[in-house]
């Protein structure tokens, strides 16, 4: 049976929303489309490709984690729908969250305002149930389902 992890918005414009991530997949945290901006935005179904810089960061995260763990992280090539937040202070491709049997992990995708977990600035970190991820004005609590 597949493992699911939920990100529950506990603060910010999307407060109360719940986003599930299935084991073996990753999801991008992104800013919702805003008609007042001219930059390419993500969409709720994840149908837009990451730009070269963000895709390189994703590839680098998986490569570094593969080297560190001694096992390939190729299972994460399955991308789930983007988690699109209605928060203007979230970057258009802010961070990614991925789940496997061993861990729940988060990597910042060189966001403008950074990503925090439990108040500390992070670039690539493993998460545990109860941790709070802070992107822009949004806080998301990790819950295992």
């Amino acid at each position: 049976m597949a493992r699911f992890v939920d990100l529950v918005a506990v603060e910010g414009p999307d407060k109360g929303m719940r986003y599930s991530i299935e084991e073996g997949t990753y999801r991008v945290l992104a800013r919702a489309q805003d008609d007042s901006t001219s930059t390419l935005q993500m969409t709720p179904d994840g149908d837009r490709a990451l730009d070269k810089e963000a895709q390189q960061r994703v590839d680098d995260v998986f490569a570094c984690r593969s080297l560190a763990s001694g096992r390939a992280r190729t299972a994460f090539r399955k991308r789930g729908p983007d988690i699109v937040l209605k928060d203007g202070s979230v970057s258009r491709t802010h961070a990614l969250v991925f789940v496997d049997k061993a861990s729940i992990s988060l990597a910042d995708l060189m966001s403008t305002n950074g990503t925090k977990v439990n108040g500390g600035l992070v670039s690539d970190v493993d998460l545990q149930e109860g941790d709070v991820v802070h992107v822009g004005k949004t806080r998301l609590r990790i819950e295992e389902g």
Side-chain angles (χ1 to χ4, degrees), residues 2-8 18-23 25 27 83 97-100 103-105 127-129 141-145:
R3 172 182 178 200
F4 283 87
V5 171
D6 290 338
L7 298 178
V8 179
R18 181 178 292 269
Y19 309 95
S20 291
I21 305 170
E22 184 179 1
E23 181 181 302
T25 66
R27 293 183 73 179
I83 297 172
V97 180
F98 51 101
V99 177
D100 70 5
S103 65
I104 308 160
S105 303
L127 302 170
Q128 297 180 12
E129 185 166 18
R141 186 180 56 239
I142 304 298
E143 293 183 2
E144 294 206 52

Side-chain angles (χ1 to χ4, degrees), residues 2-3 21 23-24 29-30 36 51 55-56 65 69 80 88 90 93-94 99 103 106 108-109 114 116 127-128 143:
R3 172 182 178 200
I21 305 170
E23 181 181 302
L29 296 173
S36 67
D51 63 29
Q55 186 60 55
Q56 185 60 55
R65 285 181 163 263
S69 68
V90 169
T93 53
H94 199 99
V99 177
S103 65
L106 175 136
D108 184 86
L109 293 176
K116 293 180 180 178
L127 302 170
Q128 297 180 12
E143 293 183 2

Side-chain angles (χ1 to χ4, degrees), residues 44-59:
D45 55 3
D47 63 353
R48 293 210 177 138
L50 297 175
D51 63 29
K52 279 186 172 184
E53 192 172 285
Q55 186 60 55
Q56 185 60 55
R57 175 75 173 125
V58 169
D59 292 343

